[in-house]
Amino acid sequence: VQPRDLKDLDDETQKVISELLDGKSVDQVRNDNAVKQQLGRVTRKDGITATQKDVDILLKTLEDKTVFAVRGEPEEIPGGYIVRGACRKENADDLISEIDKKVPSDWESQVSYMPDMTLEGMLGNYDVPTEQLSNPDPVLMVLNKDFSTESGWIFQVSSLVAVVTSFYFAVHSYVGNTDLASKLAESSELGDFAALDQFNGQIFSILGPLAIIQIFHELGHFAIATKDKFETGPPALIPMIGPLPNLGFRTDIKTSPRNLTSLFDFAFLGPFLGLFAALFCLTYGLQATVSATPEMMQTFPTISVAELRCSTLASSMVDYFFGGNGAVTSASLESAVALHPFAVAGFAGILIQALETLPFGATDGGRMSLALFGRAGNIVVGGTTWLFFLVATLFLNSATADFLLGVWIINNFAQNDMEIPCRDETTNVDIFRSIAGFSLWFVAILALVPVQ
């Protein structure tokens, strides 16, 4: 049996554990860890947290108990406080609106109405049998309003590196075109740089549609953030070396969305529009490829069969346009397939948008998972996906395994944090949006499952 408090231990053990745990009990440390696991690091920045004074202001506004009847004393958590009690309004939206009207306009904190994520809230009292536990009431969570990140310069460097990797991807796409490589070599020897100027233009014929795909993605985010009146940070491009130019943008949410529906819409519409644009680019590019003359084909970029086989969805489309099942993907893995620049950009765009939907941390997929399953459920879903991704790299061909492992590593560094709280996380997302979310995940799985 593990002691629940330091006083249950002998003096020497108490002293050692007290130093290790900063004087907290084992239960307090467990409770703090449970909260930290479900709240992003930006909610508990050094020197920028909700204070006891902030809580006192809130309690004073709730004294009449017409909005929220407080029960017991506020509980301090990492970054802020939890206030337990009973909602006196018909719904959570009315509750948040009334509190916002009552607190001073210059109040530095904000209130979110959320499920109780402390151990007591999730598991109940340890002394009560499990079968007697009931779902705890939601709580008011008081946090500082400042959810800005502290790593702005890192994102600037990331974007710069991602621009370089995107150019590398575009240039590398022409490496497999031996005809074009020979023509450029001959022109260089003769001092004729017209071919090189033409090649530079062809690089942008890949980067252009790639940018358009990502612009569609960000327009989806912008539309929802504008409609629902919450702020986002500047997008930061995430670099990637290999079969992709980058891993898309990381767009941080700076102020809390009103509810889980708003968060879901923000997370869904971005990759949905991005995937639509990528599919359009691939379709247009494939049609342009099959109708191209042999002379035009000599100037096209290439993708290896091994890279095409990384995506069942995209490779099936390529096979369809080239004559049917296995028309291209049944060739040797080293074979280079000449495709129109829009097709190359569309292929890469499909993979990038599909990866954005993976339920990792604060990716759009992670936000969708949080909105649909809650914070505790999102941890389970994200952890399962994280583990499956890692295990999958052990059983796939080297090209696909290297690609997935690279994505796994980069996402663990770039987007491994939980999203900031919504103002209301007690009202569930409707069934229509749930179906839309699962449908998008299904398409993303098709895009990411390799051809066997």
Side-chain angles (χ1 to χ4, degrees), residues 135-174:
N135 292 326
D137 292 329
V139 298
L140 298 181
M141 180 172 291
V142 185
L143 298 169
N144 192 282
K145 289 179 180 178
D146 184 359
F147 295 129
S148 60
T149 60
E150 299 176 310
S151 306
W153 68 271
I154 295 179
F155 298 147
Q156 294 174 8
V157 172
S158 172
S159 296
L160 180 61
V161 173
V163 170
V164 174
T165 60
S166 298
F167 270 93
Y168 171 80
F169 169 83
V171 173
H172 185 74
S173 297
Y174 287 91

Side-chain angles (χ1 to χ4, degrees), residues 175-222:
V175 170
N177 190 326
T178 55
D179 292 333
L180 180 60
S182 300
K183 183 179 178 180
L184 289 174
E186 292 173 3
S187 298
S188 298
E189 291 176 359
L190 296 174
D192 179 11
F193 297 103
L196 184 60
D197 291 339
Q198 182 182 1
F199 175 67
N200 290 335
Q202 288 173 300
I203 291 175
F204 284 96
S205 67
I206 293 179
L207 295 177
L210 276 172
I212 291 173
I213 292 168
Q214 204 56 48
I215 287 172
F216 267 79
H217 182 120
E218 293 306 315
L219 283 175
H221 286 331
F222 177 77

Side-chain angles (χ1 to χ4, degrees), residues 304-354:
S304 71
V305 172
E307 291 172 337
L308 283 175
R309 290 173 65 91
C310 287
S311 171
T312 295
L313 174 62
S315 64
S316 296
M317 293 178 65
V318 174
D319 278 340
Y320 173 79
F321 275 88
F322 276 84
N325 185 34
V328 173
T329 56
S330 60
S332 65
L333 297 180
E334 295 78 18
S335 300
V337 182
L339 297 173
H340 188 277
F342 265 72
V344 174
F347 175 82
I350 287 173
L351 288 176
I352 292 170
Q353 299 306 311

Side-chain angles (χ1 to χ4, degrees), residues 9 14 19 38 57 94 201 207 235 282 286 318 344 348 361 377 397 407:
L9 304 170
Q14 284 187 41
E19 293 176 355
Q38 298 184 63
I57 292 174
D94 289 345
L207 295 177
L282 179 59
L286 289 174
V318 174
V344 174
N397 65 66
V407 171

